[in-house]
Amino acid sequence: MSVPGIQGSYGYMECVLSNTIKAGECDLFICEPKAIHVRNDLYEKYGWNLRKAKILLHMRGRVFVIPGKLVFAKKD
C-alpha cells in the first residue's frame, strides 16, 4: 500500500496506529513508524540542514521558533 505525502513538505512518516490516549483536551496517538521520507536536499548525514530547511519548532504555549527567529501565534 502506498501512503500519500503532502506536496511541498520537507518529509513525512508512514505509521501504524497502536494506541490512542486521552491527554486533557487532546488525544495522544502512539504510532509505530514503518517508513520515513525526507527531501534529500534538506537532510544530511546527521539530520536536517537548518541553514536550508526552515523548520517551525514549538517552544511552549504560543511561542515557536524558526532557526534564528522567534514566531508568536496569534491569540483567538
Side-chain angles (χ1 to χ4, degrees), residues 1-61:
M1 176 168 83
S2 177
V3 176
I6 298 173
Q7 186 175 9
S9 67
Y10 290 174
Y12 63 95
M13 294 174 55
E14 297 180 38
C15 298
V16 173
L17 180 64
S18 5
N19 196 1
T20 303
I21 300 170
K22 287 288 184 192
E25 63 184 33
C26 303
D27 291 335
L28 174 64
F29 297 105
I30 309 297
C31 300
E32 179 183 345
K34 295 296 183 178
I36 299 171
H37 307 273
V38 297
R39 279 185 40 188
N40 290 337
D41 62 319
L42 300 177
Y43 199 84
E44 298 174 352
K45 183 177 180 179
Y46 296 107
W48 294 106
N49 179 333
L50 297 178
R51 288 183 183 88
K52 294 180 183 178
K54 302 298 183 195
I55 298 173
L56 182 66
L57 305 168
H58 182 244
M59 299 298 287
R60 64 181 176 94

